[in-house]
Amino acid sequence: MKVLVRMIIVAVMASGGLGGYSMTVGKDTIVGIQTQKVISKIQNLAGGQLPDLKWLNFSKGTTDEVNTYDPVLQSCLDAMFFENKGFHFSQSKWGAQSVPYQFRGLEVIGPREMMINGADNARGIERRISFEFYVEAFRNYDKAEGWKSWNIEMPPNLDGIVLVLHAGSWKIASSPLQSYNLK
């Protein structure tokens, strides 16, 4: 099993350098995100058998760590999205009127550890992690026309979520709640 998984990873990494591409310049592109998903699935299948891939840092962390930040992340997601029959729905909040949006294939990717600087340390921030969104397609609703056609791209203003660990508690540092929410 271990040899097979290593061969798969070498194939992924060697095929045009997609692994490196996904971790550098193209990490936020569809190719980069999909490559990260494949590598993450391979890591999960390997069941921790590949310690030399820890630098890829696709794990969600230990169970205890996930339990500390997951309620904060989940409350943000619950305020932004409603799920029904495999689709996620929200409303845009950046225009004069709210516009309903439907998302197909919405996924939250992360966490990714972020660097902390001296100013963060001075403010008592211990850690910073980010989560990105991946959407296969989106569409919005028009009162006169109904649901518009699907757009195969990332929706406008659907930026990632950044959480910080401050004084032992996770808090939302930034999120697209100003752009998308259910209220």
PDB file of all heavy atoms in Angstrom, residues 139-157:
ATOM      1  N   ARG A 139     -25.186  30.633  -9.675  1.00  0.00           N
ATOM      2  CA  ARG A 139     -26.144  31.425 -10.444  1.00  0.00           C
ATOM      3  C   ARG A 139     -26.913  32.295  -9.459  1.00  0.00           C
ATOM      4  O   ARG A 139     -26.938  32.039  -8.267  1.00  0.00           O
ATOM      5  CB  ARG A 139     -27.090  30.541 -11.264  1.00  0.00           C
ATOM      6  CG  ARG A 139     -27.958  29.619 -10.449  1.00  0.00           C
ATOM      7  CD  ARG A 139     -28.779  28.736 -11.361  1.00  0.00           C
ATOM      8  NE  ARG A 139     -29.604  27.802 -10.618  1.00  0.00           N
ATOM      9  CZ  ARG A 139     -30.527  27.052 -11.161  1.00  0.00           C
ATOM     10  NH1 ARG A 139     -30.747  27.118 -12.470  1.00  0.00           N
ATOM     11  NH2 ARG A 139     -31.235  26.221 -10.444  1.00  0.00           N
ATOM     12  N   ASN A 140     -27.518  33.335  -9.993  1.00  0.00           N
ATOM     13  CA  ASN A 140     -28.321  34.199  -9.126  1.00  0.00           C
ATOM     14  C   ASN A 140     -29.747  34.278  -9.667  1.00  0.00           C
ATOM     15  O   ASN A 140     -30.047  33.831 -10.763  1.00  0.00           O
ATOM     16  CB  ASN A 140     -27.688  35.577  -8.937  1.00  0.00           C
ATOM     17  CG  ASN A 140     -27.392  36.278 -10.231  1.00  0.00           C
ATOM     18  OD1 ASN A 140     -27.942  35.945 -11.271  1.00  0.00           O
ATOM     19  ND2 ASN A 140     -26.534  37.263 -10.176  1.00  0.00           N
ATOM     20  N   TYR A 141     -30.601  34.850  -8.845  1.00  0.00           N
ATOM     21  CA  TYR A 141     -32.031  34.881  -9.140  1.00  0.00           C
ATOM     22  C   TYR A 141     -32.454  36.295  -9.512  1.00  0.00           C
ATOM     23  O   TYR A 141     -32.092  37.263  -8.862  1.00  0.00           O
ATOM     24  CB  TYR A 141     -32.818  34.408  -7.909  1.00  0.00           C
ATOM     25  CG  TYR A 141     -34.288  34.267  -8.149  1.00  0.00           C
ATOM     26  CD1 TYR A 141     -34.797  33.138  -8.769  1.00  0.00           C
ATOM     27  CD2 TYR A 141     -35.171  35.263  -7.749  1.00  0.00           C
ATOM     28  CE1 TYR A 141     -36.160  32.995  -8.994  1.00  0.00           C
ATOM     29  CE2 TYR A 141     -36.538  35.125  -7.962  1.00  0.00           C
ATOM     30  CZ  TYR A 141     -37.017  33.995  -8.591  1.00  0.00           C
ATOM     31  OH  TYR A 141     -38.357  33.868  -8.809  1.00  0.00           O
ATOM     32  N   ASP A 142     -33.234  36.384 -10.560  1.00  0.00           N
ATOM     33  CA  ASP A 142     -33.798  37.652 -11.006  1.00  0.00           C
ATOM     34  C   ASP A 142     -35.318  37.536 -10.889  1.00  0.00           C
ATOM     35  O   ASP A 142     -35.903  36.553 -11.364  1.00  0.00           O
ATOM     36  CB  ASP A 142     -33.379  37.920 -12.452  1.00  0.00           C
ATOM     37  CG  ASP A 142     -33.897  39.240 -12.950  1.00  0.00           C
ATOM     38  OD1 ASP A 142     -33.191  40.245 -12.786  1.00  0.00           O
ATOM     39  OD2 ASP A 142     -35.021  39.263 -13.507  1.00  0.00           O
ATOM     40  N   LYS A 143     -35.960  38.523 -10.277  1.00  0.00           N
ATOM     41  CA  LYS A 143     -37.418  38.461 -10.059  1.00  0.00           C
ATOM     42  C   LYS A 143     -38.198  38.320 -11.359  1.00  0.00           C
ATOM     43  O   LYS A 143     -39.210  37.641 -11.426  1.00  0.00           O
ATOM     44  CB  LYS A 143     -37.895  39.692  -9.292  1.00  0.00           C
ATOM     45  CG  LYS A 143     -37.459  39.696  -7.849  1.00  0.00           C
ATOM     46  CD  LYS A 143     -37.954  40.936  -7.127  1.00  0.00           C
ATOM     47  CE  LYS A 143     -37.448  40.939  -5.699  1.00  0.00           C
ATOM     48  NZ  LYS A 143     -37.850  42.120  -4.948  1.00  0.00           N
ATOM     49  N   ALA A 144     -37.721  38.949 -12.412  1.00  0.00           N
ATOM     50  CA  ALA A 144     -38.435  38.908 -13.695  1.00  0.00           C
ATOM     51  C   ALA A 144     -38.125  37.636 -14.492  1.00  0.00           C
ATOM     52  O   ALA A 144     -38.999  37.069 -15.138  1.00  0.00           O
ATOM     53  CB  ALA A 144     -38.078  40.129 -14.530  1.00  0.00           C
ATOM     54  N   GLU A 145     -36.866  37.167 -14.441  1.00  0.00           N
ATOM     55  CA  GLU A 145     -36.430  36.045 -15.273  1.00  0.00           C
ATOM     56  C   GLU A 145     -36.316  34.721 -14.536  1.00  0.00           C
ATOM     57  O   GLU A 145     -36.182  33.679 -15.161  1.00  0.00           O
ATOM     58  CB  GLU A 145     -35.067  36.368 -15.892  1.00  0.00           C
ATOM     59  CG  GLU A 145     -35.053  37.596 -16.760  1.00  0.00           C
ATOM     60  CD  GLU A 145     -33.647  37.961 -17.214  1.00  0.00           C
ATOM     61  OE1 GLU A 145     -32.785  37.061 -17.264  1.00  0.00           O
ATOM     62  OE2 GLU A 145     -33.415  39.132 -17.504  1.00  0.00           O
ATOM     63  N   GLY A 146     -36.306  34.743 -13.214  1.00  0.00           N
ATOM     64  CA  GLY A 146     -36.088  33.512 -12.449  1.00  0.00           C
ATOM     65  C   GLY A 146     -34.589  33.238 -12.320  1.00  0.00           C
ATOM     66  O   GLY A 146     -33.769  34.155 -12.402  1.00  0.00           O
ATOM     67  N   TRP A 147     -34.245  31.963 -12.116  1.00  0.00           N
ATOM     68  CA  TRP A 147     -32.830  31.606 -11.982  1.00  0.00           C
ATOM     69  C   TRP A 147     -32.110  31.796 -13.310  1.00  0.00           C
ATOM     70  O   TRP A 147     -32.572  31.308 -14.342  1.00  0.00           O
ATOM     71  CB  TRP A 147     -32.670  30.163 -11.516  1.00  0.00           C
ATOM     72  CG  TRP A 147     -32.991  29.972 -10.065  1.00  0.00           C
ATOM     73  CD1 TRP A 147     -34.095  29.369  -9.553  1.00  0.00           C
ATOM     74  CD2 TRP A 147     -32.213  30.411  -8.950  1.00  0.00           C
ATOM     75  NE1 TRP A 147     -34.049  29.408  -8.181  1.00  0.00           N
ATOM     76  CE2 TRP A 147     -32.903  30.036  -7.783  1.00  0.00           C
ATOM     77  CE3 TRP A 147     -30.999  31.091  -8.817  1.00  0.00           C
ATOM     78  CZ2 TRP A 147     -32.431  30.303  -6.507  1.00  0.00           C
ATOM     79  CZ3 TRP A 147     -30.519  31.356  -7.541  1.00  0.00           C
ATOM     80  CH2 TRP A 147     -31.230  30.977  -6.403  1.00  0.00           C
ATOM     81  N   LYS A 148     -31.008  32.477 -13.283  1.00  0.00           N
ATOM     82  CA  LYS A 148     -30.198  32.693 -14.486  1.00  0.00           C
ATOM     83  C   LYS A 148     -29.373  31.439 -14.756  1.00  0.00           C
ATOM     84  O   LYS A 148     -29.373  30.495 -13.968  1.00  0.00           O
ATOM     85  CB  LYS A 148     -29.301  33.908 -14.302  1.00  0.00           C
ATOM     86  CG  LYS A 148     -30.094  35.198 -14.192  1.00  0.00           C
ATOM     87  CD  LYS A 148     -29.184  36.392 -14.130  1.00  0.00           C
ATOM     88  CE  LYS A 148     -30.005  37.670 -14.125  1.00  0.00           C
ATOM     89  NZ  LYS A 148     -29.152  38.854 -14.141  1.00  0.00           N
ATOM     90  N   SER A 149     -28.626  31.428 -15.848  1.00  0.00           N
ATOM     91  CA  SER A 149     -27.819  30.263 -16.200  1.00  0.00           C
ATOM     92  C   SER A 149     -26.610  30.153 -15.254  1.00  0.00           C
ATOM     93  O   SER A 149     -26.188  31.133 -14.635  1.00  0.00           O
ATOM     94  CB  SER A 149     -27.358  30.340 -17.656  1.00  0.00           C
ATOM     95  OG  SER A 149     -26.562  31.488 -17.842  1.00  0.00           O
ATOM     96  N   TRP A 150     -26.053  28.950 -15.178  1.00  0.00           N
ATOM     97  CA  TRP A 150     -24.912  28.682 -14.306  1.00  0.00           C
ATOM     98  C   TRP A 150     -23.653  29.358 -14.829  1.00  0.00           C
ATOM     99  O   TRP A 150     -23.390  29.360 -16.030  1.00  0.00           O
ATOM    100  CB  TRP A 150     -24.659  27.177 -14.210  1.00  0.00           C
ATOM    101  CG  TRP A 150     -25.702  26.443 -13.427  1.00  0.00           C
ATOM    102  CD1 TRP A 150     -26.738  25.711 -13.936  1.00  0.00           C
ATOM    103  CD2 TRP A 150     -25.804  26.367 -12.010  1.00  0.00           C
ATOM    104  NE1 TRP A 150     -27.476  25.186 -12.913  1.00  0.00           N
ATOM    105  CE2 TRP A 150     -26.931  25.573 -11.714  1.00  0.00           C
ATOM    106  CE3 TRP A 150     -25.066  26.894 -10.947  1.00  0.00           C
ATOM    107  CZ2 TRP A 150     -27.331  25.288 -10.411  1.00  0.00           C
ATOM    108  CZ3 TRP A 150     -25.468  26.615  -9.650  1.00  0.00           C
ATOM    109  CH2 TRP A 150     -26.582  25.812  -9.398  1.00  0.00           C
ATOM    110  N   ASN A 151     -22.872  29.934 -13.938  1.00  0.00           N
ATOM    111  CA  ASN A 151     -21.561  30.510 -14.238  1.00  0.00           C
ATOM    112  C   ASN A 151     -20.509  29.541 -13.705  1.00  0.00           C
ATOM    113  O   ASN A 151     -20.532  29.199 -12.519  1.00  0.00           O
ATOM    114  CB  ASN A 151     -21.380  31.865 -13.547  1.00  0.00           C
ATOM    115  CG  ASN A 151     -22.343  32.892 -14.076  1.00  0.00           C
ATOM    116  OD1 ASN A 151     -22.263  33.267 -15.232  1.00  0.00           O
ATOM    117  ND2 ASN A 151     -23.269  33.334 -13.240  1.00  0.00           N
ATOM    118  N   ILE A 152     -19.604  29.130 -14.559  1.00  0.00           N
ATOM    119  CA  ILE A 152     -18.560  28.188 -14.164  1.00  0.00           C
ATOM    120  C   ILE A 152     -17.328  28.999 -13.772  1.00  0.00           C
ATOM    121  O   ILE A 152     -16.355  29.103 -14.518  1.00  0.00           O
ATOM    122  CB  ILE A 152     -18.208  27.203 -15.308  1.00  0.00           C
ATOM    123  CG1 ILE A 152     -19.466  26.601 -15.922  1.00  0.00           C
ATOM    124  CG2 ILE A 152     -17.246  26.133 -14.813  1.00  0.00           C
ATOM    125  CD1 ILE A 152     -20.302  25.746 -14.987  1.00  0.00           C
ATOM    126  N   GLU A 153     -17.401  29.605 -12.616  1.00  0.00           N
ATOM    127  CA  GLU A 153     -16.308  30.407 -12.076  1.00  0.00           C
ATOM    128  C   GLU A 153     -16.618  30.688 -10.611  1.00  0.00           C
ATOM    129  O   GLU A 153     -17.679  30.329 -10.122  1.00  0.00           O
ATOM    130  CB  GLU A 153     -16.159  31.712 -12.850  1.00  0.00           C
ATOM    131  CG  GLU A 153     -17.422  32.569 -12.818  1.00  0.00           C
ATOM    132  CD  GLU A 153     -17.320  33.786 -13.709  1.00  0.00           C
ATOM    133  OE1 GLU A 153     -16.207  34.210 -14.030  1.00  0.00           O
ATOM    134  OE2 GLU A 153     -18.367  34.327 -14.081  1.00  0.00           O
ATOM    135  N   MET A 154     -15.698  31.305  -9.947  1.00  0.00           N
ATOM    136  CA  MET A 154     -15.929  31.667  -8.552  1.00  0.00           C
ATOM    137  C   MET A 154     -16.860  32.879  -8.504  1.00  0.00           C
ATOM    138  O   MET A 154     -16.724  33.808  -9.302  1.00  0.00           O
ATOM    139  CB  MET A 154     -14.611  31.992  -7.847  1.00  0.00           C
ATOM    140  CG  MET A 154     -13.773  30.760  -7.527  1.00  0.00           C
ATOM    141  SD  MET A 154     -14.601  29.577  -6.451  1.00  0.00           S
ATOM    142  CE  MET A 154     -14.634  30.455  -4.901  1.00  0.00           C
ATOM    143  N   PRO A 155     -17.807  32.870  -7.588  1.00  0.00           N
ATOM    144  CA  PRO A 155     -18.712  34.018  -7.465  1.00  0.00           C
ATOM    145  C   PRO A 155     -17.978  35.256  -6.963  1.00  0.00           C
ATOM    146  O   PRO A 155     -16.969  35.144  -6.271  1.00  0.00           O
ATOM    147  CB  PRO A 155     -19.751  33.560  -6.443  1.00  0.00           C
ATOM    148  CG  PRO A 155     -19.307  32.255  -5.933  1.00  0.00           C
ATOM    149  CD  PRO A 155     -18.115  31.808  -6.669  1.00  0.00           C
ATOM    150  N   PRO A 156     -18.484  36.427  -7.292  1.00  0.00           N
ATOM    151  CA  PRO A 156     -17.836  37.653  -6.833  1.00  0.00           C
ATOM    152  C   PRO A 156     -17.905  37.775  -5.311  1.00  0.00           C
ATOM    153  O   PRO A 156     -18.898  37.386  -4.693  1.00  0.00           O
ATOM    154  CB  PRO A 156     -18.646  38.762  -7.508  1.00  0.00           C
ATOM    155  CG  PRO A 156     -19.948  38.138  -7.865  1.00  0.00           C
ATOM    156  CD  PRO A 156     -19.680  36.682  -8.078  1.00  0.00           C
ATOM    157  N   ASN A 157     -16.848  38.286  -4.736  1.00  0.00           N
ATOM    158  CA  ASN A 157     -16.779  38.606  -3.304  1.00  0.00           C
ATOM    159  C   ASN A 157     -16.888  37.407  -2.370  1.00  0.00           C
ATOM    160  O   ASN A 157     -17.143  37.591  -1.188  1.00  0.00           O
ATOM    161  CB  ASN A 157     -17.834  39.646  -2.911  1.00  0.00           C
ATOM    162  CG  ASN A 157     -17.687  40.929  -3.675  1.00  0.00           C
ATOM    163  OD1 ASN A 157     -16.579  41.347  -3.991  1.00  0.00           O
ATOM    164  ND2 ASN A 157     -18.797  41.551  -4.008  1.00  0.00           N
TER     165      ASN A 157
END
